[in-house]
Amino acid sequence: MRSIDLKHRGRARPRIGPALALPALFAFTLGLAACADEPTRPNARGGDEDGGRTPPRPLGVVEITISGLGSGHVTSSALSAPTVAELDRLRALRDAAGASAAGPGVLAPQALTPPDHTGGGGDGTIQLELLSTGSFTDGARGAGGYRYLWATYRVRNAQKDGTAYDTPRKNLTFYAVDTDETIGETAISSLTLFDGSPADPALATQLIPTGAVAKHPGSNTVHPTDPDVLQVVTEAEADSIRALAGEGVTDVFPYGFVVRRVGSTTTRELPANPDEDRFDGVVTFAYKVPLQETPAQDPFTVTIMFLAVDDDEVKITQSVEEATSAGIAAFDARATSLGATRIRLLPWGTSASSSHERFCSVRIAGPASNPTAYLASAPGNLVSLSPHPFTASASSVPVSAQFTATFDRAVSGVSPRQGLVVHGSQSGRRFVGEVFAGHGTTTISTPVAHFFPGEEVEVGFAPSIRRSACADAGFPGTFRYRVATSPSTGSFTAGSPIQFGQELWSVALGDLDADGHLDMVVADKGGAQVLVWRNQGGGTFAQTPDVYSVPSPSRLALGDLDGDGDLDVVVLLFYERKVHVLLNQGNGTFSHHATSSTAPVIPRVLSLGDLDGDGDLDLVVHDIYKTDILVYPNAGDGTFDEPAQYTAKDLVGNHALGDVDGDGYLDLVVTLAGSHEIEVFRNRGDGTFESDAVFSAGGDRPIPVAVGDLNQDGFPDLVVGHDLSSTVSVFLNDGNGTFAMAGAPYPVGDERDPWWIVLGDVDGDGDVDIVVTSAYASEIHVLRNEGNGQFTVEGPLTFAPGGADASALGDLDGDGDLDLVVVSSGSGSVVVYTNQ
């Protein structure tokens, strides 16, 4: 990496501490060139190329200082002039005034008055008034955490002395610039620590511009607050502004902050002749900077150089922080109301507009010919992923695993939030608050994560990596693996039943309290409650669980729904026809978080997976023996947006998720109980689906279905249970989502079964076995995989009377093999079967 040129950084500047800064709401004026007041005129070239609009008009240089970072008392001040040389003169007068006054930083007003460059036609200034400042931290120090900082100013279309202009301002924007006074080739002119000494100059390349953001008090996540704050332009546009900027501005970076109209979403124009004290505009300067190893190393004061530019063209940019469902909606609404002619997105942005421009990288440091830092930089093509997704067998991921992604060019911006997202089905979202190795290189590696034996791991690449608009070719978004298990007999011994509840319809296993043991969560439909049994170690559970009142819970699932690293619970409410979320408080206790609106079906079955590639777990729900399937997108905070509805060919028995065609997006496999068929809905790559194939299920009335790689060729296969014939069929995938039945169905009882199917390597030999539970016969069958997708039926194990309604596999006693939990609706019992 190149060294940072400190240019004229030999002299030290006085520190502006919080007690010495200008008071909030102090009316401070910025001296700008008189040409800012020229009337709008047609393009001198005739207007053929740009519709006759006026070219951008640089108005003057502006220096914004934000101080008090980390102190709880953040302040800001501004200084500007028509030229860089004049700003240097004013800065020297300011510093001298501060040194000679009663205290440092006390400014003599007359020292701030620039010379008259207007020839008597007005002093060419714009009034700014400080409105608010602030900062907060997000993430952990030394683990990818950032400090966010901002300063918001009110803007009045008037001269320094308060005389209103008779010409409006249009799309006034402050673009970051490099001058002889900035640190290296950046827009940062000063970085100081709390004691007034210079901060590490390398931080000048790490101040990243953001949109307007806040810290959500509930979810503790960063979320956008106002659209239309950040602005990006092309390098060609930045270069054209530089050509007009005048002496002292050595470079214009392709980003800035736009002035918005107060009280209006339809225009940014600052009207002519505003009343006294009427500030029609507002602008926010917003950044984030990495937290250093110690607080003493964090910058206390930052100063940034800008060039004010008036422009007729209405451009709007979606910031990184606005790439959420709420942020996208607000951005699209503002773009429409403004009548924006240029809609600009960063690599992972989304807009309803089909005419948007995507910026795959935005330079914030270094020259255009050799950028050294980016606001956003889309990675190139993914060359390889280790462990390799297309050879994922049952043992492809060890219990302690690290994921490594290799690209065809140096990448930046790959993080656990906005790049490479890893979910463990029993351990939750991984690497939250951690940092990936290899930033700025071609190889990105996660830290080592510890998983539970047999759990499914979902690895997702965010749109910033896989979006084809920003890479030579798009790369798939989501892969699923299974974690290896230890060798065992695969034989199960039943423990004593736990009698609690009335109609136990569903069970899921996960480490809820982060103690390294798998806990149990059960839906008790008859008792209108969700039951949580904490694992006390060794697979032992108390007879009495934690109880959460929930009306008519039918099925439930575990997943990190709000991205904070722990497992939450999503529950289907049978009679209420709703979806309810219980959020983990971080210690295995839950709060009632959100309930969806009434669904058009009675929800009976559900599954979780990242369907749209945004890193959050989405939800699929269906009502057994109906044709409707609902897909609920996750809003990112554990709430679900209104569902998209899909109609199957016939009555739905059950469904499962898996990337059946190998394109990296989770598809939907549905059993059709009425027509005895299987229907495959292919994911279009954005979380929406289309029916792609329908084929025979190989038996009467298919109900349960499970997806997994049964013959270790890297492609997910299907296991389907037939209710009327009490058999199980295996369908092997040919690699592109086309399935062929592998031999005759396997008998698993002589009554109307099976009812529930789970997959896992129960004997630890490296291939996936099948466990089938029977609701009517109260039996459990194990189908041992012979290694090639052929199975040997073992059992049955007799379950307690009342039916084996649902089951789950997991290492409950910590010995590395998979144990089995079965629940019964008829007997209200939970039984743990220990793997021997």
Side-chain angles (χ1 to χ4, degrees):
M1 179 179 294
R2 70 172 182 88
S3 62
I4 296 178
D5 177 15
L6 297 184
K7 297 178 181 173
H8 304 290
R9 306 312 299 161
R11 59 184 175 85
R13 295 184 185 174
R15 175 175 63 88
I16 302 176
L20 309 176
L22 295 176
L25 303 182
F26 175 74
F28 190 81
T29 58
L30 301 183
L32 302 178
C35 62
D37 202 39
E38 293 179 356
T40 301
R41 61 193 183 280
N43 187 351
R45 295 172 296 178
D48 293 337
E49 296 181 12
D50 57 11
R53 71 175 185 86
T54 303
R57 299 170 297 278
L59 308 178
V61 286
V62 181
E63 187 178 73
I64 298 294
T65 297
I66 305 176
S67 187
L69 301 176
S71 70
H73 182 59
V74 182
T75 61
S76 181
S77 61
L79 187 68
S80 85
T83 66
V84 172
E86 178 61 22
L87 188 136
D88 285 344
R89 188 187 76 84
L90 294 177
R91 186 192 297 117
L93 290 173
R94 180 196 64 183
D95 292 347
S100 62
V106 179
L107 307 181
Q110 65 272 18
L112 301 176
T113 303
D116 188 355
H117 289 268
T118 67
D123 61 9
T125 55
I126 287 287
Q127 285 187 311
L128 290 190
E129 182 178 85
L130 181 62
L131 181 62
S132 65
T133 60
S135 75
F136 62 84
T137 61
D138 181 56
R141 187 176 298 278
Y146 279 90
R147 178 176 300 283
Y148 287 79
L149 54 131
W150 73 91
T152 298
Y153 283 84
R154 298 204 298 170
V155 184
R156 181 170 181 256
N157 188 20
Q159 301 173 34
K160 173 180 178 293
D161 62 4
T163 303
Y165 284 124
D166 59 6
T167 301
R169 304 290 176 188
K170 297 184 177 181
N171 305 302
L172 183 62
T173 304
F174 296 87
Y175 289 103
V177 296
D178 180 20
T179 74
D180 288 340
E181 289 297 310
T182 56
I183 302 175
E185 292 170 308
T186 74
I188 312 304
S189 58
S190 178
L191 282 169
T192 59
L193 303 176
F194 179 77
D195 62 4
S197 62
D200 183 354
L203 284 174
T205 66
Q206 299 176 39
L207 260 80
I208 302 173
T210 73
V213 297
K215 196 77 170 287
H216 193 286
S219 63
N220 202 36
T221 58
V222 176
H223 67 97
T225 58
D226 295 292
D228 195 24
V229 169
L230 179 70
Q231 187 71 278
V232 303
V233 295
T234 66
E235 288 287 1
E237 289 170 326
D239 192 54
S240 67
I241 295 171
R242 163 65 189 88
L244 301 171
E247 294 183 3
V249 174
T250 57
D251 196 5
V252 174
F253 294 102
Y255 80 89
F257 300 98
V258 68
V259 176
R260 302 160 342 257
R261 173 74 174 270
V262 175
S264 175
T265 61
T266 61
T267 182
R268 298 188 187 126
E269 182 174 294
L270 306 185
N273 301 310
D275 294 337
E276 185 177 356
D277 296 328
R278 176 176 170 179
F279 288 76
D280 290 295
V282 64
V283 61
T284 298
F285 303 93
Y287 286 83
K288 66 179 181 179
V289 60
L291 295 172
Q292 301 303 290
E293 291 184 6
T294 67
Q297 295 172 306
D298 289 339
F300 184 79
T301 300
V302 300
T303 303
I304 311 160
M305 291 288 292
F306 296 94
L307 180 71
V309 177
D310 215 7
D311 188 357
D312 285 352
E313 187 173 45
V314 183
K315 300 182 286 285
I316 186 170
T317 300
Q318 184 185 94
S319 70
V320 172
E321 296 74 25
E322 289 175 282
T324 65
S325 57
I328 292 166
F331 171 78
D332 282 342
R334 182 64 59 86
T336 299
S337 63
L338 283 174
T341 56
R342 295 291 181 89
I343 297 174
R344 294 178 162 176
L345 309 178
L346 296 173
W348 41 82
T350 302
S351 172
S353 170
S354 59
S355 60
H356 61 256
E357 305 167 81
R358 188 169 302 282
F359 283 61
C360 297
S361 63
V362 177
R363 176 176 59 99
I364 62 172
S369 59
N370 185 30
T372 57
Y374 296 93
L375 182 161
S377 179
N381 296 323
L382 182 63
V383 175
S384 65
L385 174 65
S386 176
H388 198 286
F390 300 121
T391 58
S393 65
S395 58
S396 63
V397 176
V399 174
S400 296
Q402 180 182 40
F403 298 91
T404 300
T406 302
F407 302 88
D408 63 357
R409 69 195 75 172
V411 300
S412 60
V414 181
S415 71
R417 288 190 172 186
Q418 298 183 119
L420 177 61
V421 180
V422 179
H423 284 275
S425 63
Q426 296 177 339
S427 56
R429 188 162 178 168
R430 313 312 305 270
F431 314 122
V432 173
E434 298 186 68
V435 179
F436 294 160
H439 179 80
T441 73
T442 59
T443 301
I444 301 294
S445 297
T446 71
V448 174
H450 302 285
F451 298 101
F452 287 97
E455 78 169 306
E456 268 197 317
V457 177
E458 184 174 295
V459 179
F461 287 92
S464 57
I465 293 176
R466 58 175 168 65
R467 191 181 301 279
S468 59
C470 282
D472 296 334
F475 195 81
T478 305
F479 305 101
R480 283 187 170 182
Y481 305 81
R482 290 181 185 272
V483 178
T485 61
S486 300
S488 66
T489 64
S491 301
F492 295 95
T493 300
S496 299
I498 301 174
Q499 299 292 144
F500 199 100
Q502 300 177 35
E503 296 179 50
L504 309 186
W505 273 34
S506 183
V507 60
L509 303 178
D511 185 6
L512 305 178
D513 48 10
D515 65 352
H517 306 302
L518 290 181
D519 308 302
M520 294 189 301
V521 184
V522 175
D524 177 9
K525 176 176 170 291
Q529 54 194 357
V530 170
L531 311 175
V532 176
W533 275 276
R534 304 282 189 93
N535 193 331
Q536 299 172 335
T540 60
F541 298 88
Q543 290 293 312
T544 302
D546 297 335
V547 177
Y548 297 88
S549 296
V550 177
S552 65
S554 56
R555 300 291 182 188
L556 56 77
L558 300 181
D560 184 3
L561 301 177
D562 55 357
D564 61 357
D566 49 41
L567 289 170
D568 309 302
V569 184
V570 57
V571 192
L572 302 186
L573 308 184
F574 184 83
Y575 295 117
E576 285 73 17
R577 294 166 58 181
K578 295 180 179 180
V579 174
H580 185 67
V581 173
L582 297 170
L583 276 192
N584 196 327
Q585 302 303 293
N587 58 2
T589 64
F590 296 86
S591 64
H592 295 275
H593 178 59
T595 303
S596 71
S597 58
T598 302
V601 301
I602 298 176
R604 290 281 298 269
V605 182
L606 79 165
S607 56
L608 290 171
D610 183 7
L611 304 179
D612 50 12
D614 62 357
D616 304 314
L617 295 178
D618 307 303
L619 176 65
V620 180
V621 174
H622 84 262
D623 181 0
I624 194 168
Y625 306 142
K626 296 289 179 67
T627 60
D628 297 320
I629 304 164
L630 305 180
V631 176
Y632 289 83
N634 191 334
D637 58 358
T639 62
F640 293 99
D641 296 333
E642 287 300 306
Q645 186 168 335
Y646 299 91
T647 302
K649 175 187 173 183
D650 209 300
L651 303 181
V652 175
N654 212 318
H655 76 263
L657 293 173
D659 177 18
V660 300
D661 54 4
D663 65 352
Y665 306 110
L666 294 178
D667 307 302
L668 178 63
V669 179
V670 177
T671 55
L672 305 177
S675 61
H676 315 301
E677 292 172 309
I678 299 169
E679 186 170 8
V680 176
F681 288 82
R682 302 226 184 200
N683 192 328
R684 297 186 180 102
D686 58 0
T688 64
F689 296 86
E690 59 184 348
S691 180
D692 182 73
V694 177
F695 55 93
S696 173
D700 292 336
R701 204 164 73 158
I703 301 290
V705 59
V707 177
D709 182 10
L710 304 177
N711 57 355
Q712 301 187 70
D713 63 354
F715 302 109
D717 309 301
L718 306 180
V719 181
V720 177
H722 305 286
D723 183 18
L724 295 180
S725 59
S726 298
T727 57
V728 168
S729 296
V730 172
F731 293 84
L732 297 182
N733 192 336
D734 67 359
N736 62 5
T738 301
F739 296 90
M741 189 170 174
Y746 298 93
V748 288
D750 55 5
E751 294 192 39
R752 292 180 57 188
D753 283 313
W755 189 247
W756 202 259
I757 294 175
V758 290
L759 304 181
D761 184 9
V762 299
D763 51 11
D765 63 354
D767 48 40
V768 175
D769 308 302
I770 304 170
V771 178
V772 181
T773 53
S774 302
Y776 293 97
S778 295
E779 294 179 344
I780 303 167
H781 293 265
V782 176
L783 281 66
R784 295 283 189 103
N785 196 330
E786 298 173 4
N788 57 359
Q790 299 293 317
F791 294 84
T792 299
V793 180
E794 296 182 354
L797 298 173
T798 302
F799 187 67
D805 287 270
S807 60
L809 287 169
D811 181 14
L812 296 175
D813 52 10
D815 61 356
D817 56 32
L818 293 180
D819 307 303
L820 177 67
V821 180
V822 183
V823 298
S824 169
S825 63
S827 63
S829 60
V830 180
V831 179
V832 175
Y833 290 80
T834 304
N835 194 332
Q836 304 302 306

